[in-house]
Amino acid sequence: MATRAQVRFATREEGQSFNKHPSAIHAQFYVHSDGYPEFLGVEIANSLEREEKVDSWEIENLDTKHSDLNYIYYIWQAPSKTTWISIFNEENECIFVGEPQKLLEKYD
């Protein structure tokens, strides 16, 4: 069985909470399998922390919606600010918020 996920990129903005879905995203990718935090989350964090390559992502239109996602990841970035990651599960609960190193400490 596939563990499906979307990875979305959002801008860090004043007043935006990392544990809520943002009103706007700038890019999104679909990952059909291995979308759970112990794999995809670690892969994202390693890419940000260690500049490791990420494989098997499909670029999606910003309007694409899936009804069968297991996880949604947000990568929050802005110039001169640290990158943060949020993870939401299929019940739409935020299960992780933090910098890439904290994700590695929790899931790797």
Side-chain angles (χ1 to χ4, degrees):
M1 185 170 135
T3 306
R4 295 164 296 279
Q6 272 183 327
V7 180
R8 298 174 175 172
F9 289 81
T11 300
R12 285 189 59 176
E13 297 177 312
E14 199 66 38
Q16 173 67 52
S17 174
F18 295 141
N19 65 354
K20 298 196 183 318
H21 295 275
S23 58
I25 58 172
H26 306 291
Q28 80 177 4
F29 296 83
Y30 176 71
V31 180
H32 184 72
S33 59
D34 296 328
Y36 48 92
E38 294 83 359
F39 183 82
L40 181 58
V42 168
E43 190 174 50
I44 292 168
N46 278 330
S47 180
L48 292 165
E49 287 287 300
R50 302 178 184 139
E51 299 181 6
E52 293 181 6
K53 186 178 177 182
V54 176
D55 292 323
S56 302
W57 291 17
E58 299 171 30
I59 298 172
E60 288 194 311
N61 185 297
L62 292 177
D63 298 323
T64 301
K65 304 286 187 221
H66 294 271
S67 61
D68 60 350
L69 293 174
N70 301 102
Y71 296 97
I72 297 175
Y73 293 78
Y74 288 97
I75 300 173
W76 302 88
Q77 296 179 309
S80 303
K81 294 184 179 179
T82 59
T83 298
W84 281 58
I85 301 168
S86 302
I87 305 173
F88 292 80
N89 65 15
E90 57 196 323
E91 286 84 30
N92 207 28
E93 299 169 312
C94 186
I95 61 169
F96 176 83
V97 172
E99 294 177 326
Q101 185 57 42
K102 293 294 183 193
L103 189 146
L104 292 171
E105 291 170 12
K106 182 172 182 175
Y107 292 109
D108 194 14

